[in-house]
Structure formats: structure tokens, C-alpha cells
Amino acid sequence: MAGLIVYILFGLIPIYQAFQVKRNPMKIRNLRKMKALQPDVELDPRLQQLYFVNYLITGILWMLTGLIGWLYGMKLTYVMFALAIIGGITVFVAKWRIMGETPKWHLVMLALAVVLVIVYHIWLVKDSKVEVLPETFAVEGDYGIEMPYQAIDSVFVMETMPEVKYTKDGYSVFGNKKGEFRLKDGSDAKFYLLGKQPPYLKMYTHGGLVFVNRKTTAETEQLIVELRDKIGNKIIYRL
């Protein structure tokens, strides 16, 4: 419930800003903290309407995001950031059309943002490793885990993966899937898939169901050998 309240409060802020702009466009100076935009908003009703609609829709979407996350037990903070970015880009594009101008520095910033997102995801993938350590099984990188071998009940070697309903807290990009996901059958599982090629390890652990592999088939086969040395016949059979 506390998380839902936080999402609602975050949503109420831009809604409040929307009606502040509607009532008094002069306050755009304080709301945007960009003095260069103030004269345009004061003089052009179309820009006033643009900022009003942007704030209002952003606030409503943030509250809906919080409600959906609370109902389904999902962590959707990244969705809020995505909505804010999309809203900002929409405002820039709409302002260009209204004012009949296309500031080049905005285009450069947009292109840079796209490049940074791509580089960030490449870095996430590169930084992730599945390690069989002397005392623990570990997944390094974001959403990583580390567990003693005693916490592993059994491991099945799979050629296919179960269908996923949605992401609870994680990401799925470039064939990689990391974090917590809700499966089609309604159960939850943690995924640490670093490659698109089978085999996959389906691990029953004290902390719940875990799916894992390495970046290539050969590396995953090596993982099976390394893990068998630690847990023996807990690796049962290939499905």
C-alpha cells in the first residue's frame, strides 16, 4: 500500500502543475525552471494547452502505473521514467511544430539519449556472468544473486522455456532476460538468461524457481559440468 501511495503522490504533482499552468501561465517559470520558455507560453495559447495536456496526462499515467503495479505486484519505476521521457520528447516535437522551428541541439540531445540507452543495455549484458564459485552459485551484474549449493534442491536441463506473462521487476532485451517474471501459469520465477540458445537450467531452490544459462550453448554445457561437480545427482535429466 505504501508503494501505491507514493505513485499517487508522484502523479498528483504533474496534475497540480497542469492546473497551475492553466490558471496562471506565468508560473511556468517556476514549474519548468526554464526561463527561456516563459514568454512563448504567455503569448501563445497553443503552448499553454500543450503544457497543460502534457502535465495532466503524465500525472494520470503515473497514477495508473502505480495502481497496476500494486494490483499485480510489479515494480514499474522504470515505466514512470519512460513515460516522463516520452512526454518530454512529445512536448519538444509539438513545440517545434507550433513554433515552426526545429532546434538542432534538441535533435542532438535526443540522438545522444538513444545512444546512451543502447550503450547502457550493452553494458548490462557484458557485465553479467554466471559463476560456479567454490562455495556459492552466483549471477553477477544487475539483478544478480548468490546462493550456497545447499539451497539448490534440483536442476533440470531444458531445451525450451516456459511462456512469460509479464515482467515483475527486471528486463528482457537483446535475447537476455534478467529479473523476476510472472509465468503464464500464474507462478513467479527469476530469470538469468544471458543468451538465446538452449540449453537452459531450470533450478528449484529454497528461494524459488530460477532459470539460467550462459551466452552460448558451449558455455552453458560447461556450466552444467561445473555445477555437476558441486551438486552431483541434483542435476536430473534433459527435457
Side-chain angles (χ1 to χ4, degrees):
M1 180 61 73
L4 176 61
I5 294 175
V6 170
Y7 277 112
I8 290 176
L9 290 176
F10 269 108
L12 287 175
I13 292 173
I15 291 176
Y16 169 77
Q17 293 174 336
F19 286 99
Q20 287 289 87
V21 172
K22 192 74 170 179
R23 291 173 55 189
N24 185 1
M26 288 287 291
K27 292 189 176 181
I28 196 69
R29 178 192 295 269
N30 297 325
L31 297 178
R32 300 289 295 183
K33 296 181 180 180
M34 294 172 65
K35 297 180 181 180
L37 292 178
Q38 184 195 3
D40 295 339
V41 176
E42 289 180 19
L43 297 175
D44 197 323
R46 295 174 299 173
L47 288 178
Q48 296 173 18
Q49 188 68 17
L50 170 63
Y51 285 110
F52 170 75
V53 171
N54 178 63
Y55 282 129
L56 184 64
I57 292 178
T58 298
I60 292 173
L61 289 178
W62 279 4
M63 288 195 291
L64 288 176
T65 299
L67 180 61
I68 292 172
W70 178 70
L71 288 174
Y72 291 96
M74 302 166 64
K75 184 178 179 182
L76 297 177
T77 306
Y78 62 92
V79 175
M80 294 181 66
F81 283 115
L83 291 173
I85 293 172
I86 293 172
I89 293 174
T90 301
V91 167
F92 278 135
V93 173
K95 182 175 181 290
W96 297 342
R97 293 179 64 87
I98 290 172
M99 302 299 293
E101 59 185 21
T102 307
K104 292 183 179 180
W105 69 272
H106 284 147
L107 294 177
V108 172
M109 289 182 62
L110 179 58
L112 180 61
V114 172
V115 170
L116 288 176
V117 169
I118 294 174
V119 170
Y120 174 69
H121 282 295
I122 292 175
W123 175 80
L124 288 180
V125 174
K126 184 178 180 180
D127 192 52
S128 299
K129 295 180 181 179
V130 178
E131 300 285 356
V132 177
L133 303 176
E135 301 296 331
T136 60
F137 176 81
V139 179
E140 299 178 357
D142 58 315
Y143 297 99
I145 59 169
E146 186 170 352
M147 71 177 85
Y149 296 109
Q150 295 84 348
I152 301 175
D153 296 325
S154 59
V155 177
F156 291 84
V157 182
M158 313 283 290
E159 293 297 328
T160 60
M161 294 298 300
E163 292 187 47
V164 170
K165 191 174 184 180
Y166 59 78
T167 305
K168 292 190 67 176
D169 182 16
Y171 67 86
S172 180
V173 63
F174 300 147
N176 304 106
K177 192 185 299 289
K178 294 190 72 176
E180 188 173 0
F181 293 76
R182 174 67 51 84
L183 304 181
K184 284 287 187 179
D185 63 8
S187 62
D188 293 335
K190 293 180 179 179
F191 283 71
Y192 302 99
L193 302 183
L194 307 186
K196 296 184 289 185
Q197 301 299 321
Y200 312 99
L201 302 187
K202 181 180 182 180
M203 308 175 68
Y204 290 92
T205 75
H206 294 181
L209 184 61
V210 175
F211 292 93
V212 64
N213 75 347
R214 283 178 174 167
K215 296 178 181 180
T216 67
T217 297
E219 289 177 335
T220 303
E221 294 286 358
Q222 179 61 33
L223 171 63
I224 295 171
V225 173
E226 295 172 9
L227 195 56
R228 194 185 301 276
D229 290 339
K230 298 294 184 180
I231 65 175
N233 59 7
K234 287 184 179 181
I235 296 183
I236 301 177
Y237 52 83
R238 187 182 299 268
L239 297 179

